[in-house]
Amino acid sequence: MAEPTERDPLIKKGTVSTSADGASRGEPEIKRRLGPLEISASNRRGILAGIWLGTFLGSLNLTLVPTMMPSISSEFQKFHQASWLGTAYLLATCTFTPLYGRLSNVMGRRGANNTAIAFAAIGTIMCGLSRNMESLIAARFLAGIGGGGLFTTSTIIVSDMYTLRNRGLVQGVASCFNGLGMGLGGPFGGLITDLLGWRAAFLLQIPLFVLALILTQYNIRYVTPGKSKGTMEVLKRIDYFGSLTLLVAIGSLLFFLSTRYNESLPWSEARVITPLILAIIFFLGFLGVELFVAKEPVLAPGMLQQKVPVLVSASNFLVGACNFSVTYFFPMWFQVVTLQSASTAGMHLMPNSVSMSTGSLFAGWMMHRTGRYKRINLIFGIFPFIGTTLISRLREDSGPVQSWLSIIPLGFGNAVVLQTMLIALLSHLPESHMAVGTGFGQLFRGLGQVSGVAISSAIFQSRLDAELRKRFHTPDAENLILQIRRNSNYIRELLPEQQGYARDSYALALKTVYIFASCLTLSAYLVRLPIPDQDLDKAHARRRAQAEARRNSTAEAGTTNANAVASTSNSTGVPTNTESAESSPTETETEPEGPATEGGPATPRPIAAGRRPHRRRMSTFESMDGTMDLESDRIGGSARDVPSSVEGRSLTSR
């Protein structure tokens, strides 16, 4: 007999038994599969082990490349293109992450998670086997498609299994694995590069991907309410145009930054102006598709009308940009300016890993203990600014305290911020908006990450080129500058005086990046100040009460509609509905909620009979509480206010 999966219906037709206490009354008891809150502790631990191993590997690949870039660029002689190794991964993560919410709904949690693991593993294998920079960049993009899915499916699965207040603590533990992966990426990449070569750093991850796949395949067996669809339905529900226009817009912007600043081409060059124009056109096209065309956009325009989601998303963008600006350029200080080995340079990211894990646990514990998030955000949210300021004051002769510990406030503070902002977002949204809002925030965080690497790389290369030209004036200066920019290891081969000039140029260029990161994190702190506080227990109870009211309303509407159809059929002999009740379940007579207020989530608004809501479904994630059916027009369309002119509401779903 085939093993049941989470895609199987919760209640199978014809599967009944008689309960012990109801046997005498002849009451049937329907057998059912366990939901996410009902599974055993051992099953839950197995699920967490699998998904957290996946997120660890995804985080590891985010920061694996910086300490390997000098070795990779030395082999391919393309250091000026090395930033693409980071931006390609982040571009794929940013573009494809929202789609995994839809896949989690129609394929099931296990199918979506396994898909992400497969993409990440295949891309990682291709990275290890690449023979040129172009194929390596393409492989990083493929790995990023899976990496983004690992984070998304992990968040959804954890949200299925825990209540809102406990979720803060569990997500804090989950962020330990995220922080551990990001912290170990640099040291692992540097150490393996020194010992076995940079290709081995990719290939050694494959056994761990296989283990993560086995754990999730075996343990994720719970069910969530909703209608599972087949492959064709999955393909129909994906926002192709939105994803494509976003991908081309960001990719064109990155190409513009690379050609104009990394390769120093003039503005008159077609390779500079063309991608800039394309970036503008496709970004406007993306907004147009999301606002007016796509039935299920990756971006939820309804969130733009709500204060908290907008502020949280802006903070996520700035925090993501700050984090990756520092992560990608912090090890370079020790490799190029102080001429340390790749493994030693990577080890300087370890304090960041420890501080991120500690900060995540601390934030989760505090929110679990107090049921609040505002105060700890105000206190510890300024820590990243302190950290980036200390980093920007590094010198070649800086002592071990500043060299090793200056990054700690950055990791700790940003971990607290990300945890508290996630819970702040969830607590201010009604249940039917939670998944959409989470996808909205994650999209902007991904945009911030890829923008942080790309913009800081452009700033770095532009300042580096200017500083090198100030110092080198020999007849072969142009060729020398080109060699230094394309191969950082070439500095070790220079004469002492030339080496000093090159190291000074790198130091000033890197400090400019650190100052840029400092401005980003200060802006993020200011953006978060207007976000109001919430009592998490009250917010959770409010949502549960609203959900119960909606379910009762659905049941009452279904009963009323069935009675009306039966009455009409009895009097005329012909049913008024052209679809049977069995194939077309009735929906509730409620309109999607309005925007949430500062005092709590929004409440549903009743609608008049005869009106049909706009069919544009905005959700890219299934319910973060595992209780939502996105195949329903009522739930699926909850992120967009229904136009008053929409008429002709039918009580039967498509």
Side-chain angles (χ1 to χ4, degrees):
M1 184 176 180
E3 177 73 12
T5 69
E6 77 277 9
R7 295 181 60 191
D8 293 334
L10 187 64
I11 300 175
K12 295 184 178 180
K13 295 181 179 180
T15 306
V16 298
S17 63
T18 304
S19 62
D21 59 350
S24 59
R25 301 189 301 271
E27 297 176 358
E29 177 189 5
I30 300 177
K31 293 181 179 179
R32 62 185 179 84
R33 298 273 310 286
L34 295 178
L37 298 176
E38 301 169 317
I39 58 177
S40 66
S42 60
N43 189 194
R44 185 175 285 109
R45 285 193 293 268
I47 292 173
L48 293 178
I51 62 175
W52 287 350
L53 178 57
T55 57
F56 168 79
L57 293 171
S59 300
L60 186 79
N61 278 280
L62 283 172
T63 57
L64 185 69
V65 166
T67 52
M68 298 162 57
M69 284 197 298
S71 298
I72 296 173
S73 61
S74 297
E75 180 173 334
F76 298 136
Q77 291 294 308
K78 293 184 178 180
F79 186 73
H80 61 295
Q81 294 181 2
S83 64
W84 278 99
L85 299 177
T87 53
Y89 188 93
L90 293 170
L91 174 60
T93 299
C94 171
T95 307
F96 289 90
T97 288
L99 301 183
Y100 278 93
R102 176 59 60 199
L103 294 181
S104 292
N105 185 39
V106 296
M107 292 178 63
R109 308 308 205 241
R110 180 168 61 187
N113 185 261
N114 288 354
T115 299
I117 293 175
F119 271 109
I122 294 171
T124 302
I125 293 173
M126 291 176 60
C127 286
L129 301 178
S130 297
R131 296 301 173 188
N132 53 60
M133 182 66 85
E134 289 73 21
S135 63
L136 180 58
I137 292 172
R140 287 285 291 171
F141 183 86
L142 185 63
I145 294 176
L150 292 173
F151 299 126
T152 302
T153 55
S154 172
T155 300
I156 293 175
I157 292 168
V158 168
S159 298
D160 280 342
M161 298 190 298
Y162 295 93
T163 62
L164 182 60
R165 182 162 182 171
N166 289 333
R167 192 177 305 154
L169 183 59
V170 178
Q171 289 288 11
V173 178
S175 294
C176 288
F177 290 90
N178 184 22
L180 185 64
M182 293 187 67
L184 289 179
F188 176 78
L191 181 62
I192 300 301
T193 299
D194 286 344
L195 296 177
L196 303 174
W198 62 268
R199 297 179 189 278
F202 291 110
L203 299 177
L204 288 176
Q205 300 177 53
I206 303 307
L208 296 179
F209 276 114
V210 174
L211 177 60
L213 182 64
I214 293 173
L215 286 170
T216 53
Q217 175 69 21
Y218 177 76
N219 287 291
I220 301 179
R221 292 175 291 178
Y222 66 80
V223 293
T224 54
K227 307 184 186 81
S228 297
K229 300 295 182 180
T231 302
M232 291 305 298
E233 185 65 18
V234 176
L235 297 177
K236 291 178 182 178
R237 296 172 68 83
I238 292 177
D239 180 14
Y240 292 105
F241 291 114
S243 299
L244 179 62
T245 51
L246 178 63
L247 177 65
V248 176
I250 300 176
S252 298
L253 178 61
L254 298 180
F255 195 81
F256 158 72
L257 293 173
S258 177
T259 54
R260 176 65 185 92
Y261 298 102
N262 293 359
E263 299 184 27
S264 301
L265 296 179
W267 282 96
S268 57
E269 185 75 28
R271 285 190 294 164
V272 173
I273 194 65
T274 301
L276 178 60
I277 295 174
L278 287 176
I280 296 173
I281 292 174
F282 276 91
F283 180 72
L284 295 176
F286 169 71
L287 294 179
V289 168
E290 301 304 285
L291 290 172
F292 306 111
V293 179
K295 292 184 178 179
E296 299 180 22
V298 296
L299 175 71
M303 295 292 104
L304 296 173
Q305 302 174 7
Q306 301 187 40
K307 172 184 173 181
V308 173
V310 169
L311 294 178
V312 169
S313 298
S315 174
N316 285 351
F317 178 89
L318 294 168
V319 169
C322 169
N323 265 339
F324 280 80
S325 295
V326 175
T327 300
Y328 269 76
F329 288 94
F330 190 63
M332 192 180 296
W333 175 275
F334 303 100
Q335 278 184 274
V336 180
V337 178
T338 62
L339 299 179
Q340 298 179 20
S341 65
S343 56
T344 303
M347 287 296 294
H348 281 81
L349 288 174
M350 279 298 295
N352 187 53
S353 171
V354 175
S355 63
M356 286 182 65
S357 300
T358 306
S360 297
L361 278 175
F362 173 77
W365 177 75
M366 286 295 294
M367 287 187 289
H368 178 74
R369 181 173 179 270
T370 66
R372 298 277 182 175
Y373 54 82
K374 178 76 171 181
R375 181 176 299 176
I376 59 174
N377 192 291
L378 288 175
I379 296 173
F380 298 100
I382 198 65
F383 277 32
F385 176 73
I386 297 173
T388 51
T389 301
L390 293 174
I391 292 172
S392 67
R393 298 178 64 84
L394 281 172
R395 302 188 308 273
E396 291 184 39
D397 59 348
S398 294
V401 174
Q402 185 173 8
S403 299
W404 288 93
L405 304 183
S406 58
I407 199 172
I408 288 179
L410 174 72
F412 186 90
N414 277 336
V416 171
V417 167
L418 292 174
Q419 287 301 306
T420 53
M421 285 300 95
L422 173 62
I423 301 303
L425 178 64
L426 298 182
S427 67
H428 280 86
L429 292 176
E431 189 173 16
S432 59
H433 282 65
M434 288 173 65
V436 185
T438 303
F440 187 76
Q442 287 183 339
L443 177 63
F444 279 88
R445 182 178 174 183
L447 288 172
Q449 291 172 347
V450 68
S451 300
V453 175
I455 296 174
S456 52
S457 177
I459 292 173
F460 169 76
Q461 288 289 346
S462 179
R463 182 69 188 275
L464 177 61
D465 183 70
E467 294 298 329
L468 288 172
R469 293 184 183 281
K470 288 180 182 178
R471 290 166 172 78
F472 289 94
H473 304 286
T474 57
D476 63 339
E478 194 67 31
N479 181 63
L480 193 60
I481 291 172
L482 187 62
Q483 288 290 335
I484 294 172
R485 291 184 60 193
R486 291 194 171 188
N487 182 4
S488 61
N489 285 340
Y490 184 70
I491 293 177
R492 301 174 187 270
E493 303 174 10
L494 297 174
L495 298 173
E497 183 180 10
Q498 293 176 328
Q499 187 181 96
Y501 290 158
R503 291 165 63 188
D504 289 343
S505 299
Y506 265 87
L508 290 173
L510 289 170
K511 283 190 175 185
T512 305
V513 172
Y514 303 149
I515 293 172
F516 169 68
S518 185
C519 294
L520 289 173
T521 191
L522 180 60
S523 300
Y525 184 81
L526 297 177
V527 163
R528 293 190 299 270
L529 290 178
I531 297 177
D533 201 4
Q534 276 269 48
D535 185 298
L536 298 181
D537 285 331
K538 293 180 180 179
H540 184 74
R542 217 169 13 237
R543 270 200 317 276
R544 286 303 183 191
Q546 291 176 354
E548 184 64 27
R550 284 198 298 270
R551 282 192 290 269
N552 293 338
S553 176
T554 302
E556 292 174 3
T559 302
T560 302
N561 186 57
N563 292 337
V565 171
S567 175
T568 305
S569 179
N570 291 336
S571 60
T572 64
V574 180
T576 57
N577 239 329
T578 59
E579 300 181 57
S580 67
E582 180 180 356
S583 61
S584 300
T586 57
E587 295 180 5
T588 181
E589 284 287 310
T590 58
E591 190 180 54
E593 287 97 338
T597 63
E598 293 188 15
T603 55
R605 300 190 297 265
I607 65 174
R611 289 182 53 202
R612 183 177 184 82
H614 195 16
R615 283 199 174 277
R616 296 193 60 206
R617 288 194 280 267
M618 307 308 302
S619 300
T620 56
F621 286 82
E622 189 168 350
S623 168
M624 302 304 289
D625 284 329
T627 58
M628 191 185 299
D629 176 14
L630 292 190
E631 311 304 325
S632 158
D633 286 323
R634 178 179 64 84
I635 296 296
S638 62
R640 182 185 297 281
D641 289 335
V642 180
S644 59
S645 60
V646 176
E647 297 179 354
R649 176 175 175 83
S650 169
L651 288 177
T652 34
S653 64
R654 290 184 296 176

